[in-house]
Tab-separated table of all heavy atoms in Angstrom:
chain	number	residue	atom	x	y	z
S	28	ALA	N	7.866	110.003	24.488
S	28	ALA	CA	7.119	108.765	24.724
S	28	ALA	C	5.920	108.573	23.813
S	28	ALA	O	5.386	107.469	23.736
S	28	ALA	CB	6.651	108.710	26.177
S	29	GLY	N	5.478	109.623	23.125
S	29	GLY	CA	4.231	109.530	22.368
S	29	GLY	C	4.223	108.445	21.313
S	29	GLY	O	3.311	107.613	21.253
S	30	ASP	N	5.239	108.433	20.447
S	30	ASP	CA	5.282	107.435	19.371
S	30	ASP	C	5.417	106.023	19.930
S	30	ASP	O	4.828	105.076	19.398
S	30	ASP	CB	6.446	107.738	18.422
S	30	ASP	CG	6.216	109.008	17.609
S	30	ASP	OD1	5.035	109.417	17.499
S	30	ASP	OD2	7.197	109.586	17.128
S	31	VAL	N	6.201	105.875	20.997
S	31	VAL	CA	6.395	104.561	21.592
S	31	VAL	C	5.079	104.017	22.128
S	31	VAL	O	4.747	102.841	21.944
S	31	VAL	CB	7.447	104.639	22.724
S	31	VAL	CG1	7.498	103.330	23.488
S	31	VAL	CG2	8.807	104.970	22.153
S	32	MET	N	4.299	104.871	22.778
S	32	MET	CA	3.023	104.418	23.324
S	32	MET	C	2.061	104.024	22.213
S	32	MET	O	1.274	103.091	22.356
S	32	MET	CB	2.412	105.495	24.211
S	32	MET	CG	3.178	105.768	25.491
S	32	MET	SD	3.647	104.261	26.401
S	32	MET	CE	2.026	103.585	26.791
S	33	ARG	N	2.131	104.717	21.083
S	33	ARG	CA	1.272	104.353	19.945
S	33	ARG	C	1.681	102.983	19.399
S	33	ARG	O	0.836	102.166	19.015
S	33	ARG	CB	1.358	105.411	18.841
S	33	ARG	CG	0.865	106.785	19.256
S	33	ARG	CD	0.907	107.766	18.095
S	33	ARG	NE	-0.205	107.530	17.188
S	33	ARG	CZ	-1.415	108.076	17.324
S	33	ARG	NH1	-1.667	108.868	18.350
S	33	ARG	NH2	-2.359	107.826	16.450
S	34	ASP	N	2.992	102.716	19.356
S	34	ASP	CA	3.473	101.421	18.862
S	34	ASP	C	3.122	100.288	19.823
S	34	ASP	O	2.836	99.161	19.411
S	34	ASP	CB	4.995	101.466	18.666
S	34	ASP	CG	5.408	102.395	17.531
S	34	ASP	OD1	4.539	102.705	16.680
S	34	ASP	OD2	6.574	102.824	17.512
S	35	LEU	N	3.144	100.585	21.129
S	35	LEU	CA	2.838	99.565	22.125
S	35	LEU	C	1.341	99.295	22.222
S	35	LEU	O	0.923	98.177	22.545
S	35	LEU	CB	3.365	100.015	23.500
S	35	LEU	CG	3.095	99.090	24.687
S	35	LEU	CD1	3.827	97.754	24.523
S	35	LEU	CD2	3.494	99.765	26.003
S	36	ASP	N	0.532	100.292	21.896
S	36	ASP	CA	-0.904	100.248	22.168
S	36	ASP	C	-1.616	98.985	21.673
S	36	ASP	O	-2.430	98.419	22.396
S	36	ASP	CB	-1.578	101.498	21.590
S	36	ASP	CG	-2.904	101.794	22.254
S	36	ASP	OD1	-2.919	102.084	23.460
S	36	ASP	OD2	-3.932	101.710	21.559
S	37	PRO	N	-1.353	98.508	20.444
S	37	PRO	CA	-2.070	97.315	19.980
S	37	PRO	C	-1.794	96.063	20.827
S	37	PRO	O	-2.578	95.104	20.787
S	37	PRO	CB	-1.550	97.120	18.552
S	37	PRO	CG	-0.996	98.443	18.140
S	37	PRO	CD	-0.462	99.049	19.390
S	38	TYR	N	-0.697	96.086	21.577
S	38	TYR	CA	-0.310	94.907	22.355
S	38	TYR	C	-0.837	94.944	23.794
S	38	TYR	O	-0.735	93.942	24.502
S	38	TYR	CB	1.222	94.778	22.367
S	38	TYR	CG	1.802	94.607	20.980
S	38	TYR	CD1	2.227	95.709	20.240
S	38	TYR	CD2	1.878	93.342	20.405
S	38	TYR	CE1	2.734	95.553	18.958
S	38	TYR	CE2	2.388	93.169	19.125
S	38	TYR	CZ	2.802	94.284	18.404
S	38	TYR	OH	3.290	94.126	17.119
S	39	VAL	N	-1.366	96.079	24.203
S	39	VAL	CA	-1.895	96.186	25.567
S	39	VAL	C	-3.293	96.805	25.548
S	39	VAL	O	-3.544	97.836	26.174
S	39	VAL	CB	-0.953	97.013	26.487
S	39	VAL	CG1	0.255	96.199	26.884
S	39	VAL	CG2	-0.538	98.321	25.810
S	40	PRO	N	-4.235	96.188	24.830
S	40	PRO	CA	-5.602	96.725	24.825
S	40	PRO	C	-6.209	96.634	26.226
S	40	PRO	O	-5.996	95.651	26.939
S	40	PRO	CB	-6.331	95.810	23.844
S	40	PRO	CG	-5.573	94.519	23.890
S	40	PRO	CD	-4.130	94.920	24.084
S	41	PHE	N	-6.963	97.648	26.584
S	41	PHE	CA	-7.533	97.638	27.929
S	41	PHE	C	-8.492	96.472	28.124
S	41	PHE	O	-8.636	95.965	29.238
S	41	PHE	CB	-8.251	98.957	28.231
S	41	PHE	CG	-8.779	99.006	29.633
S	41	PHE	CD1	-7.922	99.202	30.702
S	41	PHE	CD2	-10.123	98.801	29.896
S	41	PHE	CE1	-8.386	99.200	32.002
S	41	PHE	CE2	-10.600	98.805	31.190
S	41	PHE	CZ	-9.734	99.006	32.248
S	42	SER	N	-9.126	96.027	27.056
S	42	SER	CA	-10.076	94.919	27.179
S	42	SER	C	-9.430	93.678	27.779
S	42	SER	O	-10.093	92.867	28.428
S	42	SER	CB	-10.669	94.580	25.809
S	42	SER	OG	-9.648	94.160	24.919
S	43	GLN	N	-8.120	93.514	27.557
S	43	GLN	CA	-7.404	92.340	28.050
S	43	GLN	C	-6.798	92.542	29.440
S	43	GLN	O	-6.206	91.624	30.009
S	43	GLN	CB	-6.283	91.972	27.075
S	43	GLN	CG	-6.782	91.508	25.711
S	43	GLN	CD	-7.498	90.177	25.808
S	43	GLN	OE1	-6.998	89.241	26.419
S	43	GLN	NE2	-8.679	90.088	25.208
S	44	SER	N	-6.930	93.749	29.996
S	44	SER	CA	-6.218	94.060	31.236
S	44	SER	C	-6.684	93.200	32.405
S	44	SER	O	-5.877	92.769	33.229
S	44	SER	CB	-6.369	95.544	31.572
S	44	SER	OG	-7.735	95.875	31.770
S	45	LEU	N	-7.976	92.947	32.487
S	45	LEU	CA	-8.490	92.124	33.581
S	45	LEU	C	-7.919	90.714	33.509
S	45	LEU	O	-7.479	90.141	34.517
S	45	LEU	CB	-10.019	92.090	33.529
S	45	LEU	CG	-10.742	91.472	34.723
S	45	LEU	CD1	-10.528	92.302	35.982
S	45	LEU	CD2	-12.239	91.335	34.431
S	46	ARG	N	-7.895	90.144	32.315
S	46	ARG	CA	-7.352	88.792	32.137
S	46	ARG	C	-5.861	88.768	32.467
S	46	ARG	O	-5.361	87.828	33.099
S	46	ARG	CB	-7.588	88.326	30.688
S	46	ARG	CG	-7.317	86.851	30.474
S	46	ARG	CD	-7.610	86.433	29.039
S	46	ARG	NE	-9.006	86.613	28.656
S	46	ARG	CZ	-9.964	85.714	28.887
S	46	ARG	NH1	-9.680	84.591	29.535
S	46	ARG	NH2	-11.202	85.944	28.491
S	47	ARG	N	-5.133	89.790	32.040
S	47	ARG	CA	-3.689	89.830	32.312
S	47	ARG	C	-3.421	89.931	33.815
S	47	ARG	O	-2.475	89.327	34.332
S	47	ARG	CB	-3.042	91.020	31.589
S	47	ARG	CG	-3.214	91.014	30.080
S	47	ARG	CD	-2.599	89.782	29.439
S	47	ARG	NE	-2.816	89.755	28.009
S	47	ARG	CZ	-3.435	88.789	27.343
S	47	ARG	NH1	-3.913	87.740	28.007
S	47	ARG	NH2	-3.575	88.835	26.031
S	48	TRP	N	-4.264	90.696	34.510
S	48	TRP	CA	-4.113	90.811	35.963
S	48	TRP	C	-4.377	89.460	36.633
S	48	TRP	O	-3.595	89.012	37.483
S	48	TRP	CB	-5.072	91.885	36.490
S	48	TRP	CG	-5.220	91.902	37.974
S	48	TRP	CD1	-4.248	92.155	38.895
S	48	TRP	CD2	-6.421	91.641	38.722
S	48	TRP	NE1	-4.771	92.073	40.174
S	48	TRP	CE2	-6.100	91.763	40.089
S	48	TRP	CE3	-7.730	91.338	38.362
S	48	TRP	CZ2	-7.045	91.578	41.097
S	48	TRP	CZ3	-8.677	91.163	39.367
S	48	TRP	CH2	-8.324	91.277	40.711
S	49	VAL	N	-5.460	88.806	36.265
S	49	VAL	CA	-5.804	87.509	36.850
S	49	VAL	C	-4.685	86.497	36.603
S	49	VAL	O	-4.261	85.769	37.515
S	49	VAL	CB	-7.141	86.995	36.277
S	49	VAL	CG1	-7.369	85.526	36.645
S	49	VAL	CG2	-8.308	87.846	36.787
S	50	GLU	N	-4.180	86.461	35.365
S	50	GLU	CA	-3.150	85.477	35.014
S	50	GLU	C	-1.821	85.797	35.695
S	50	GLU	O	-1.161	84.909	36.254
S	50	GLU	CB	-2.968	85.444	33.503
S	50	GLU	CG	-4.177	84.883	32.754
S	50	GLU	CD	-4.024	84.980	31.249
S	50	GLU	OE1	-3.111	85.703	30.782
S	50	GLU	OE2	-4.817	84.338	30.531
S	51	SER	N	-1.418	87.054	35.646
S	51	SER	CA	-0.110	87.432	36.181
S	51	SER	C	-0.065	87.292	37.697
S	51	SER	O	0.876	86.708	38.255
S	51	SER	CB	0.211	88.874	35.770
S	51	SER	OG	1.536	89.208	36.107
S	52	PHE	N	-1.089	87.793	38.391
S	52	PHE	CA	-1.115	87.649	39.841
S	52	PHE	C	-1.281	86.180	40.236
S	52	PHE	O	-0.714	85.728	41.235
S	52	PHE	CB	-2.247	88.492	40.441
S	52	PHE	CG	-1.876	89.927	40.714
S	52	PHE	CD1	-1.163	90.672	39.774
S	52	PHE	CD2	-2.236	90.539	41.894
S	52	PHE	CE1	-0.823	91.991	40.013
S	52	PHE	CE2	-1.903	91.862	42.150
S	52	PHE	CZ	-1.191	92.592	41.208
S	53	GLY	N	-2.051	85.431	39.448
S	53	GLY	CA	-2.212	84.007	39.728
S	53	GLY	C	-0.898	83.258	39.630
S	53	GLY	O	-0.592	82.389	40.458
S	54	ARG	N	-0.093	83.570	38.622
S	54	ARG	CA	1.198	82.883	38.458
S	54	ARG	C	2.217	83.340	39.498
S	54	ARG	O	3.160	82.596	39.793
S	54	ARG	CB	1.728	83.101	37.041
S	54	ARG	CG	0.886	82.380	35.994
S	54	ARG	CD	1.526	82.401	34.609
S	54	ARG	NE	0.724	81.615	33.692
S	54	ARG	CZ	0.034	82.104	32.664
S	54	ARG	NH1	0.054	83.422	32.425
S	54	ARG	NH2	-0.673	81.321	31.880
S	55	LEU	N	2.041	84.549	40.037
S	55	LEU	CA	2.885	84.974	41.159
S	55	LEU	C	2.463	84.301	42.459
S	55	LEU	O	3.113	84.460	43.488
S	55	LEU	CB	2.801	86.496	41.331
S	55	LEU	CG	3.503	87.350	40.283
S	55	LEU	CD1	3.084	88.808	40.428
S	55	LEU	CD2	5.009	87.222	40.379
S	56	ASN	N	1.334	83.568	42.406
S	56	ASN	CA	0.816	82.853	43.578
S	56	ASN	C	0.345	83.832	44.656
S	56	ASN	O	0.513	83.595	45.849
S	56	ASN	CB	1.878	81.908	44.140
S	56	ASN	CG	1.272	80.699	44.821
S	56	ASN	OD1	0.069	80.477	44.766
S	56	ASN	ND2	2.101	79.924	45.488
C-alpha cells in the first residue's frame, strides 16, 4: 500500500478534510 498512498496523497490533503466532510455529509442529507 505504500506507493499507492503516496500517489493518492496529493488528492486528499488533510487541509481539505473538513470541507469534504461538510459537503459529503450535507449531500447525504
Side-chain angles (χ1 to χ4, degrees):
D30 291 340
V31 171
M32 293 313 298
R33 297 183 77 87
D34 292 341
L35 178 65
D36 202 64
Y38 299 93
V39 284
F41 183 75
S42 62
Q43 294 292 312
S44 61
L45 190 66
R46 192 178 298 275
R47 301 300 178 238
W48 168 63
V49 168
E50 292 175 347
S51 188
F52 274 44
R54 291 189 176 113
L55 288 168
N56 209 8

